[in-house]
Amino acid sequence: MTKITFLNLGNQPLANNYLSKKNINKKEKKYQLNVCVDKKTNLVSIKKTFSSKTMFNNKYPYRSSMSKTMTKSFKTLAQYIKKKYKPNIVLEIGSNDGAFIKNFKKNKTIGIEPCSNIEKLTKKLNYNTFSDYWSKKLAKKILKKFGKVDLIYSANTISHIKNLNEVFNAINVVLNDEGILIIEDPSLLECIKRNTYDQFYNEHIYVFSTIALENILKLHNLQIFKIEKLNIHGGSNRYFIKKSFSKRKINNSVIFNKKKENDYGLKKIITYRKFASRVKLSKIKLNKILSKIKKDNQKIIGYGATAKSTTILNYCNIGNTKIEYFLDTTKDKQNKYTPGTKIPILKYNNLIDDNIKYVFLGAWNFKNEIFKKEKVFIKRGGKFITHTPFPRII
Ligand code: TYD
């Protein structure tokens, strides 16, 4: 076995499986959430995986456009791509509700989005979108219809697909020889440094490091030539990738990132074991904070019923006796209950109730955006509770 398990996050439900009132007493599908590292490639992944169809179907609730941070980031990148690379056509793998492709002319983009409930939002607007899983077969279909593409983009999607060989083989089918692949996903280094163990759940099959991604890409004659560090999702990397034979210059950021990961110890198992110990402590500390607030007869609510918080709530055994309810802007999550822990999710009506002083930050990755929005709450002495980089009240 080349894989070493280093973290056990307990019995977990499917992270985006919000429960309707009707289903609240039905038995939920649960699994053991273990995280492991491959000794050969250094690739970090969850151990038990589910089929894409189980996770990404016509009930998928996630919408990229729900956060200003994301729409702004997509817009800035689209402008950069247009100016710098002038691509004939841009293909996006995981186009969700079109937050990225909407920055391009309709005849200049192709979107791939397997969740048909979301794909139809862009189809309706006449964007070239396919409600299908990314595969070699689909890549061939696109090649036939549109020819080769100059640029492929994928944000927070490749790490959700188990078969990376299929992913990159399919990319090679349709990407021009001098074409560019840009992928962005949470960075393993930042995840470990900030103790954001909630990056691990059934949909996040991988959390990539530069070291591991490079090892995988090599097998497909692909090569990272530039890396941008992003503040998105608690620290992500945006990888610019080319075909290995292309003469495009390798930017210093690639060498710099690999050195940083190496120096931190991402090639050593002890680094992962230490992280696991910190996660255990984090659970104890977070529960202590919540218990103390409850003892003082204060109410706690949650802000942003994220998939990530499913991991935290279930791992730390935090249920509706500790958190009264969650507020969320996503329509498909409202009036439902958090998976496993059955905390009600209510519609966010631009205000936090006056009788609430403590708010657990489920969407901690949008902290700046939320703090800006909740000035009134903060001014009246309202406090946020976060688990990253360590459990604390802010
Ligand atoms: P996100 O952290 O992007 O993803 P994941 O579910 O993959 O962990 O989800 C953010 C959630 O938080 C989403 O359900 C929308 C919600 N949200 C709010 O309710 N209010 C806000 O101001 C923001 C930024 C997000």
Side-chain angles (χ1 to χ4, degrees), residues 62 201 233 304 306-308 328-330 333 363 365-366 369 373:
Y62 187 76
Y201 56 90
H233 293 312
T306 57
K308 289 184 285 292
D328 201 289
T329 49
T330 316
K333 294 183 185 178
N365 44 321
F366 297 118
E369 183 176 337
K373 214 157 69 177

Side-chain angles (χ1 to χ4, degrees), residues 16 18 60 62-63 66-70 201 203-204 233 303-309 327-330 333 348 362-363 365-366 369-370 373:
N16 264 315
Y18 299 91
Y60 195 61
Y62 187 76
R63 301 281 184 283
M66 274 300 122
S67 113
K68 277 193 190 142
T69 314
M70 291 310 288
Y201 56 90
E203 287 176 24
H204 284 186
H233 293 312
Y303 199 111
T306 57
K308 289 184 285 292
S309 54
L327 292 175
D328 201 289
T329 49
T330 316
K333 294 183 185 178
Y348 172 75
N365 44 321
F366 297 118
E369 183 176 337
I370 293 169
K373 214 157 69 177

Side-chain angles (χ1 to χ4, degrees), residues 162-388:
K162 186 172 180 185
N163 191 343
L164 294 177
N165 285 333
E166 177 81 10
V167 166
F168 294 118
N169 281 335
I171 285 170
N172 271 329
V173 166
V174 75
L175 185 65
N176 252 328
D177 282 354
E178 285 301 323
I180 293 164
L181 163 68
I182 304 175
I183 64 180
E184 62 185 69
D185 279 287
S187 142
L188 179 69
L189 181 62
E190 294 306 320
C191 164
I192 291 187
K193 274 187 181 170
R194 301 181 196 197
N195 236 15
T196 50
Y197 61 90
D198 51 328
Q199 287 291 7
F200 296 104
Y201 56 90
N202 58 297
E203 287 176 24
H204 284 186
I205 297 175
Y206 305 104
V207 176
F208 295 128
S209 61
T210 306
I211 295 170
L213 190 63
E214 194 179 69
N215 283 330
I216 308 297
L217 289 169
K218 235 190 271 170
L219 306 172
H220 302 277
N221 297 318
L222 292 166
Q223 190 179 25
I224 305 168
F225 69 89
K226 188 172 93 169
I227 301 172
E228 271 174 19
K229 192 170 182 282
L230 308 174
N231 266 329
I232 285 178
H233 293 312
S236 297
N237 279 336
R238 179 178 283 156
Y239 302 95
F240 292 72
I241 298 158
K242 64 178 187 71
K243 293 202 171 172
S244 304
F245 52 73
S246 155
K247 298 255 173 326
R248 220 175 268 279
K249 253 181 89 179
I250 309 290
N251 188 281
N252 279 341
S253 54
V254 182
I255 298 143
F256 174 74
N257 266 278
K258 281 195 292 188
K259 181 171 172 358
K260 224 170 44 173
E261 291 182 358
N262 223 339
D263 291 351
Y264 190 84
L266 288 193
K267 283 189 184 167
K268 295 184 191 140
I269 186 66
I270 182 76
T271 307
Y272 299 97
R273 300 227 188 271
K274 278 187 186 163
F275 168 60
S277 305
R278 288 200 302 276
V279 172
K280 275 189 200 158
L281 281 179
S282 177
K283 171 179 176 168
I284 298 168
K285 229 168 159 182
L286 180 61
N287 269 308
K288 257 192 191 155
I289 291 174
L290 300 183
S291 300
K292 164 94 179 45
I293 297 172
K294 291 308 283 182
K295 231 171 142 186
D296 295 343
N297 283 323
Q298 294 280 354
K299 283 185 176 161
I300 308 165
I301 65 159
Y303 199 111
T306 57
K308 289 184 285 292
S309 54
T310 299
T311 295
I312 302 180
L313 299 174
N314 286 279
Y315 174 62
C316 299
N317 303 317
I318 298 166
N320 49 23
T321 54
K322 290 219 173 103
I323 296 182
E324 312 272 319
Y325 58 86
F326 265 85
L327 292 175
D328 201 289
T329 49
T330 316
K331 232 172 140 191
D332 286 352
K333 294 183 185 178
Q334 292 161 1
N335 301 318
K336 291 196 173 154
Y337 297 82
T338 58
T341 45
K342 302 181 181 171
I343 303 171
I345 304 168
L346 307 183
K347 183 176 172 193
Y348 172 75
N349 279 326
N350 298 318
L351 212 67
I352 296 170
D353 258 14
D354 277 347
N355 64 343
I356 302 296
K357 191 175 167 204
Y358 292 97
V359 173
F360 171 71
L361 257 183
W364 54 266
N365 44 321
F366 297 118
K367 184 174 140 222
N368 293 345
E369 183 176 337
I370 293 169
F371 278 29
K372 241 189 232 164
K373 214 157 69 177
E374 300 306 336
K375 280 197 186 114
V376 176
F377 171 71
I378 295 169
K379 218 169 161 191
R380 71 163 160 88
K383 301 279 179 207
F384 286 97
I385 305 160
T386 184
H387 77 300
T388 168

